[in-house]
Every structure is written in C-alpha cells, then in structure tokens.
Amino acid sequence: MIKYLDLKSVTAQHDSEINEAVQRVVESGWYLQGAENKAFCKEFASFIGTAHCVGCGNGLDALTLILRAYKEMGVMQDGDEVIVPANTYIATILAITENNLKPVLVEPRIDTFQINDTRIEEAITPRTRAIMIVHLYGKCAYTDHIGDICRRHNLRLIEDNAQAHGCHFGNRRTGSLGDAAAHSFYPGKNLGALGDGGAVTTDDKTLAEMITTLANYGSSRKYVFDYKGRNSRLDEVQAAVLRVKLRYLDADNARRRDIALQYAERIHNERLLLPSMEYCKQSVHHIFPVLCKQRDELQKYLLEHGVQTMVHYPIPPHRQLCYKEMAELQLPITEQIHAEELSIPLNQTLTQEEVETIIDVLNKF
C-alpha cells in the first residue's frame, strides 16, 4: 500500500539530527520560551524574509492572534468584515468569527483553486478591513492586483500560509507578501513539527509585540496583564525539531515539485482534471489536487489498487452546521471543488517506483 503520507518516513529522513535536537532540549532543563524558540523564530523570519516571527501554539491561534491584535490596536472592531476565499479549510473562517468579525466569502478560480482576484472588489463594503488570502494546497494566492486593491482601499492583507512554506512570488516568499502571515507546523505540513505549532511573521514591530503579549496571557511583564489574552506558545521541543527540518525545506519542496511535474506531464486520463504544468512550477505542493466527477469511485479504485488518497475537503465552510447562517449562499465553483477534489500522494519520501505506480493506476481508471 502506498500511503497518502507516511509521517514516520518523513521524520526518519533526519532521525539523528532530530534525536540530537530533542536531547539538547531535554538536557537544557528549559522547555518553554527558551533558546530554541528564539533561535527558530529568528531563522524562520530570515527564511520567510520578514523582520519578526512570533511562535505560537498552532496555525489557528496564529490567524486568531493577528486579528485580535488588530482589534486591540484599533484597526478593526466587532462587526468589521474580512474578505476570504470560500474554498478554504475551516480554520481560516474560525479565526474571523472568533474575533466577532464577519467573513465575506469570495469564489476561487477553478484552474488555480485560489481566490479569484477579479471578484474581490465587488465584495468590498464600508465595513471591509482586510483581505485574508489562503495559499491553498501550496500554491501562491497573491497577485499584483490583490496588492493594488489593498492599497487603493486601505485594507490589511493577511496571509494564511499554513500550506505553502517556502513558496515564492517572484523573489519573495509567501508569508512576507502582506501585513502579516499565519503559519501552521502541524506534522503533515511541508514544514511539520512532531506535534502542534504555529507562528506569525510580519514586518510590523508593533503588531509583533502585541501578538507576543496576547499569546502570553495578555502580559508583557510578569504578572502584569494589560489584555485578556491566551496561552499560545511554541514549545522548545517543537522549535528544536523545526530548526532541523527548516534546513531541508527547499530541497524537500524541489522533490515535491519534481513529482508534481511528472504527474502533470504523464497522467493522461480525460476523466481527471489536473493542475497545469505552470501551476506545478509555481507550487510547493502541500497537496496535489485532482478533480473528478466520479471522485468517490476514483478513490475506491485507487485504494483497491494500493494507493491511499485523501479528500481536501468534503464539505465547504458555508455548508458546515456550525455556519448554518451561511447555508443559503450559492457558491457553485467552491461546491464543485469540494465535491470533486481528491488528493493523491505527493511528498519528498515517495520513491520513483511509487510515483510510476500512481501514474499508471490513474491512467487506467
């Protein structure tokens, strides 16, 4: 069986270095807010290309803390609107509603799965305060047009970079393109920890300081609490592991891209809609999405032929029970993607033999 993602194999690539890093933390006797966290945040900020990086508990916290910080800074207030792609993972929406802000859903493009920048301006109202782009599946969602819209309408640009560590837009990396960016280090990400972890990157010193305070119970000085904060910290073990994996991220992404280009070039099945060659060149391929009107049939067929797959994601946010107030929205492109998307195995530990098998099985479907 070719697993969709074998995390044991991913970790085994750097076994000795990871074991050494964890042992270093154990022997240090310092397990939170220590040297590893500081070093990782400095190294990750340098990698992304921002002045600041603040570690936190997970990707959802990173998104939530950005918006909460903007509220405390007076940039946003309850009821303000944040434009967001309709076909994202629910965490993007949860961060908005948790802050008593209103998500305004905009359809994606079917060929890139990213927010359709030609549909954004029609969604702007006097209450709009930000655009939150999501670099979904590892593909950059940013466009010059989006940047221009933010400048003309005085909107903050927030990046959900949970799935696109290492992706580029020209000479810059995602995570450095907007006013702030949220990152997730969930184990299955391109840069994954051995548990939960997250971070915010930004060039805004005031924002970084506010997020640091809010993530530390609302305290900037010990036992002095200026805000009703939360406890959201990247622990020392995860920071140490991430420091190891960060050194190999570009090489891992290059291998992912090589496999994706093989898929795009060699899978010739008219029942499947694959990302284009150009898409594959521009993505770091956290997920390789295939659209198929017979998605469930395809998934069953692949499993019977030894290929495990995943669906990202079967139910769009506006059709979830927790957002029943959005249930009347008509978002046909989003709904098509969620009904037809199937993710096939793609990561740096796949062997060429496994790649050949996946291509062969998909061509025979």
Side-chain angles (χ1 to χ4, degrees):
M1 176 66 68
I2 301 174
K3 292 184 178 180
Y4 174 70
L5 177 61
D6 186 350
L7 287 176
K8 185 176 180 180
S9 295
V10 170
T11 303
Q13 296 177 103
H14 316 299
D15 254 353
S16 60
E17 290 174 87
I18 288 174
N19 288 336
E20 180 183 332
V22 172
Q23 188 63 30
R24 185 171 67 242
V25 173
V26 172
E27 292 177 356
S28 76
W30 195 293
Y31 307 124
L32 286 170
Q33 307 292 72
E36 297 293 340
N37 194 317
K38 291 176 183 176
F40 171 72
C41 287
K42 182 178 179 180
E43 291 161 8
F44 192 62
S46 177
F47 176 84
I48 293 295
T50 57
H52 308 282
C53 171
V54 182
C56 61
N58 53 68
L60 174 57
D61 278 2
L63 286 167
T64 304
L65 286 163
I66 291 170
L67 294 172
R68 171 71 188 284
Y70 277 136
K71 289 183 70 179
E72 295 294 352
M73 292 163 63
V75 175
M76 301 178 188
Q77 59 184 354
D78 285 2
D80 282 344
E81 297 172 355
V82 179
I83 290 173
V84 66
N87 62 316
T88 185
Y89 181 58
I90 200 165
T92 318
I93 313 296
L94 287 171
I96 298 170
T97 57
E98 185 174 330
N99 279 289
N100 294 316
L101 301 169
K102 180 182 177 182
V104 177
L105 308 187
V106 172
E107 287 266 63
R109 285 176 46 171
I110 193 69
D111 58 333
T112 67
F113 306 102
Q114 310 304 316
I115 191 169
N116 188 337
D117 61 2
T118 68
R119 301 287 301 274
I120 291 175
E121 280 195 277
E122 65 191 52
I124 294 174
T125 76
R127 294 303 299 271
T128 306
R129 295 293 177 266
I131 300 172
M132 185 180 287
I133 57 174
V134 181
H135 305 299
L136 197 68
Y137 306 152
K139 171 77 168 63
C140 179
Y142 180 83
T143 65
D144 287 328
H145 185 48
I146 291 175
D148 180 61
I149 291 171
C150 289
R151 284 187 291 272
R152 286 190 288 107
H153 294 273
N154 192 29
L155 302 177
R156 294 296 195 277
L157 179 60
I158 302 167
E159 299 173 74
D160 181 340
N161 198 46
Q163 300 186 10
H165 301 139
C167 189
H168 280 87
F169 178 81
N171 294 325
R172 299 171 65 187
R173 293 190 194 268
T174 55
S176 70
L177 304 173
D179 295 285
H183 307 262
S184 167
F185 305 123
Y186 180 79
K189 305 298 187 185
N190 290 36
L191 180 62
L194 299 185
D196 272 324
V200 174
T201 53
T202 182
D203 285 327
D204 186 335
K205 182 181 178 182
T206 302
L207 180 69
E209 290 174 346
M210 178 63 76
I211 289 170
T212 301
T213 297
L214 290 170
N216 186 37
Y217 299 95
S219 172
S220 58
R221 291 182 294 143
K222 196 172 182 67
Y223 301 134
V224 177
F225 304 93
D226 298 320
Y227 306 95
K228 297 173 183 176
R230 62 171 62 196
N231 173 19
S232 182
R233 297 182 284 207
L234 179 65
D235 73 62
E236 288 289 281
V237 170
Q238 304 309 336
V241 170
L242 289 167
R243 292 182 69 197
V244 173
K245 289 190 169 186
L246 181 60
R247 296 196 288 268
Y248 299 95
L249 180 56
D250 281 338
D252 288 346
N253 285 343
R255 174 56 179 159
R256 286 173 178 263
R257 190 173 295 112
D258 173 67
I259 295 170
L261 288 168
Q262 290 188 60
Y263 287 164
E265 184 176 12
R266 297 175 53 198
I267 296 172
H268 304 291
N269 188 323
E270 294 182 357
R271 298 176 73 182
L272 312 178
L273 178 62
L274 273 68
S276 67
M277 291 292 287
E278 194 60 30
Y279 174 107
C280 292
K281 292 175 184 177
Q282 297 171 352
S283 176
V284 293
H285 301 287
H286 171 59
I287 290 167
F288 191 89
V290 174
L291 297 187
C292 179
K293 294 187 184 301
Q294 300 82 32
R295 192 259 309 283
D296 294 345
E297 181 185 343
L298 172 61
Q299 185 171 40
K300 180 181 178 183
Y301 169 85
L302 287 167
L303 188 61
E304 289 172 349
H305 288 78
V307 179
Q308 189 182 62
T309 59
M310 294 282 287
V311 175
H312 295 90
Y313 304 94
I315 305 172
H318 70 287
R319 295 289 189 234
Q320 298 286 353
L321 181 60
C322 63
Y323 287 118
K324 54 183 178 293
E325 68 271 19
M326 299 184 187
E328 299 304 315
L329 291 176
Q330 299 299 311
L331 299 165
I333 297 174
T334 292
E335 289 159 19
Q336 178 188 348
I337 291 170
H338 284 258
E340 298 181 6
E341 193 277 342
L342 187 68
S343 305
I344 63 176
L346 196 160
N347 67 82
Q348 66 272 19
T349 67
L350 286 178
T351 67
Q352 188 57 35
E353 182 181 1
E354 289 172 327
V355 172
E356 298 290 342
T357 297
I358 293 165
I359 292 170
D360 183 61
V361 173
L362 281 165
N363 277 329
K364 290 178 178 177
F365 172 65

